[in-house]
Amino acid sequence: MPEGDTVWQTAKRLHDALAGKVLTRSDFRVPKYATTDLTGRAVLDVTPRGKHLLTRIEGGLTLHSHLRMDGSWKVYANGMRWTGGPSHQIRVILGNADRTAVGYRLPVLDLLRTADEQRAVGHLGPDLLGPDWDPRQALANLLADPARPLGEALLDQRNLAGIGNVYKSELCFLLGATPWLPIGALPADRAAKLPALAKKLLEANRDRPVRTTTGRRGQDLFVYGRAPRPCLRCHTSVRVADQGDGSRERPTYWCPNCQTGPAPSTARPRATPRRTTN
């Protein structure tokens, strides 16, 4: 699933291509908006909010989209061949005289009044890459349920917005705690550092084509996707097991030597790692 840094990059590409320009093409390929036509309206801006995208359009409208696991927005110069997937996967097309933005496999696509944006994103906690970032509020949100496993608390966008499965695993490693440790059991000094550390990781990667948390070329991540290869710190075999986030189980990686706390007995020594890029 795209995480906050990936969505930030997507918003920047869309903003650079569309903002300040009048739409000459508007094609919605979802039944709900099949008759909607935005041509003749200017795009005002494209703003990321956690993992959500808000495309604000002249006339008080906002196109809200979320990429979830497989969605993407592609931007093409007019005349270029589209390469984001087969045409039946296209959900919306927005174009102007210079560029065309194509939304593929978008599971969430809503057109709402800009004044009603809070209906779509009002539940989110402080945005790690947004102007509303508030580390104290983020920490208070995380600690509000001290019995909740650390990994689950980090994935809950109501606590802080922008962390996905990759950063969950990497943050837990850097904090020296397993993702199953109750967040209230995290030592106070490490808990206090958590919001700033999360922000540092996302900010460092928002302009990079390949996400890294290690600073090592060719070894981009400490634990995510590395099972059963050795830990970059202690050489113990990295482990993987599923952990829920309230909606689905997700593969979760950790080092049993570098990270303290509970872990499932059903941990798998092997997994098929997926290279994660922005």
Side-chain angles (χ1 to χ4, degrees):
M1 174 184 287
E3 309 198 17
D5 52 349
T6 310
V7 174
W8 190 93
Q9 290 181 11
T10 300
K12 186 177 186 302
R13 287 195 299 271
L14 289 171
H15 183 88
D16 290 347
L18 301 177
K21 299 177 181 179
V22 174
L23 293 173
T24 57
R25 183 172 184 180
S26 164
D27 183 359
F28 285 83
R29 300 185 181 181
V30 292
K32 185 177 180 180
Y33 301 113
T35 61
T36 299
D37 185 3
L38 300 177
T39 57
R41 299 174 186 256
V43 174
L44 304 179
D45 65 79
V46 182
T47 297
R49 181 73 174 85
K51 299 180 186 180
H52 299 249
L53 287 161
L54 302 172
T55 302
R56 299 184 178 113
I57 300 164
E58 186 179 27
L61 296 175
T62 294
L63 182 62
H64 165 234
S65 58
H66 195 297
L67 306 179
R68 295 264 174 93
M69 292 296 294
D70 300 315
S72 68
W73 278 96
K74 302 292 185 181
V75 175
Y76 304 99
N78 290 345
M80 284 182 62
R81 178 172 173 267
W82 298 356
T83 58
S87 60
H88 72 266
Q89 294 182 347
I90 295 173
R91 300 294 176 261
V92 62
I93 303 167
L94 298 176
N96 54 45
D98 302 309
R99 296 284 188 272
T100 301
V102 185
Y104 290 91
R105 300 171 298 279
L106 298 175
V108 176
L109 191 66
D110 291 307
L111 189 65
L112 58 151
R113 295 173 54 211
T114 301
D116 295 333
E117 284 181 359
Q118 287 300 97
R119 283 172 29 202
V121 296
H123 65 288
L124 299 174
D127 186 346
L128 283 154
L129 294 178
D132 70 321
W133 174 243
D134 183 340
R136 292 184 180 180
Q137 184 60 55
L139 183 59
N141 292 347
L142 288 165
L143 296 176
D145 184 356
R148 194 174 192 187
L150 174 60
E152 291 184 22
L154 289 172
L155 282 182
D156 191 334
Q157 303 300 294
R158 296 170 297 181
N159 291 332
L160 68 172
I163 292 176
N165 208 35
V166 177
Y167 283 120
K168 176 195 77 173
S169 294
E170 295 295 290
L171 278 166
C172 289
F173 176 82
L174 292 169
L175 291 168
T178 70
W180 293 270
L181 180 76
I183 192 167
L186 189 67
D189 60 331
R190 281 185 263 176
K193 295 176 182 177
L194 195 163
L197 179 59
K199 183 174 178 62
K200 180 180 179 181
L201 289 182
L202 266 72
E203 282 190 333
N205 283 289
R206 68 182 182 184
D207 293 316
R208 288 175 172 159
V210 177
R211 181 183 293 132
T212 180
T213 58
T214 66
R216 305 180 187 183
R217 182 174 295 180
Q219 296 177 324
D220 300 319
L221 303 173
F222 282 109
V223 290
Y224 187 86
R226 287 189 55 82
R229 287 176 287 170
C231 171
L232 295 181
R233 283 185 178 171
C234 73
H235 306 294
T236 300
S237 179
V238 171
R239 306 284 285 182
V240 60
D242 291 332
Q243 182 182 41
D245 68 344
S247 63
R248 57 172 297 182
E249 297 291 305
R250 301 178 185 278
T252 299
Y253 299 83
W254 81 101
C255 172
N257 183 58
C258 293
Q259 295 169 254
T260 59
S265 58
T266 55
R268 305 189 301 271
R270 290 186 175 272
T272 301
R274 292 184 300 170
R275 183 176 179 81
T276 301
T277 59
N278 287 354

